[in-house]
Amino acid sequence: MISELKDKRLLLRFLSISVLGTIADYLLALLLVLTIAAPYVFASICGFVLGSFVNYCGHNIFSYEHTDKGTISLQGYGKYLMAVLSSLLARLAVVAALGYVTTLPFWVILLIAIGASFVTSYVISTLWVFRKPD
């Protein structure tokens, strides 16, 4: 199980799909603000939901070799949302901790926090959400 975390091809596929989900998130939020003057928070939530759905489906179809479009489910998406929210908590914890104990510029803190968030998402997704059956 831990050996899956060391699979470089899996990590690259996971990263690629995560980038696509981030782009979908960003573009929808921007589109909602620019076309219908949606409130920023509403647009951000909509973008987040779309991005996480793109990621969940993409990871099912492309990232993990033992999953495919037939393994997509509401229960699986719920598990993935829990993983994503856990990664958000990791990100916020890193921002808070580094902001408190260092004098690093915010952009450096944010990059470190995004990295921590990605690692958290990858680990939880690989070991729990998309776990390979025994």
Side-chain angles (χ1 to χ4, degrees), residues 80-131:
Y80 184 72
L81 278 177
M82 289 174 57
V84 169
L85 292 174
S86 297
S87 72
L88 174 62
L89 290 176
R91 176 181 172 157
L92 295 175
V94 169
V95 167
L98 291 179
Y100 183 75
V101 300
T102 72
T103 58
L104 291 170
F106 178 68
W107 68 269
V108 173
I109 291 172
L110 190 57
L111 285 176
I112 294 168
I114 288 169
S117 176
F118 175 80
V119 169
T120 302
S121 177
Y122 177 68
V123 169
I124 294 172
S125 292
T126 301
L127 298 181
W128 182 56
V129 179
F130 302 104
R131 183 173 170 223

Side-chain angles (χ1 to χ4, degrees), residues 3-4 44 94 108:
S3 63
E4 286 184 65
S44 292
V94 169
V108 173

Side-chain angles (χ1 to χ4, degrees), residues 7 16 23 36 59 62 107 126:
D7 182 342
S16 298
I23 291 169
I36 64 168
H59 292 319
F62 299 109
W107 68 269
T126 301

Side-chain angles (χ1 to χ4, degrees), residues 11-129:
L11 179 61
L12 287 174
R13 289 191 307 266
F14 191 91
L15 177 61
S16 298
I17 294 300
S18 296
V19 168
L20 289 177
T22 300
I23 291 169
D25 174 341
Y26 178 78
L27 290 177
L28 179 60
L30 203 57
L31 181 71
L32 290 172
V33 168
L34 295 176
T35 59
I36 64 168
Y40 291 171
V41 171
F42 175 77
S44 292
I45 291 169
C46 291
F48 174 84
V49 170
L50 176 64
S52 66
F53 185 73
V54 167
N55 283 342
Y56 171 68
C57 293
H59 292 319
N60 260 294
I61 297 168
F62 299 109
S63 297
Y64 295 91
E65 293 175 349
H66 63 278
T67 61
D68 58 29
K69 65 181 179 183
T71 57
I72 295 171
S73 68
L74 274 178
Q75 180 182 9
Y77 181 58
K79 287 172 73 172
Y80 184 72
L81 278 177
M82 289 174 57
V84 169
L85 292 174
S86 297
S87 72
L88 174 62
L89 290 176
R91 176 181 172 157
L92 295 175
V94 169
V95 167
L98 291 179
Y100 183 75
V101 300
T102 72
T103 58
L104 291 170
F106 178 68
W107 68 269
V108 173
I109 291 172
L110 190 57
L111 285 176
I112 294 168
I114 288 169
S117 176
F118 175 80
V119 169
T120 302
S121 177
Y122 177 68
V123 169
I124 294 172
S125 292
T126 301
L127 298 181
W128 182 56
V129 179

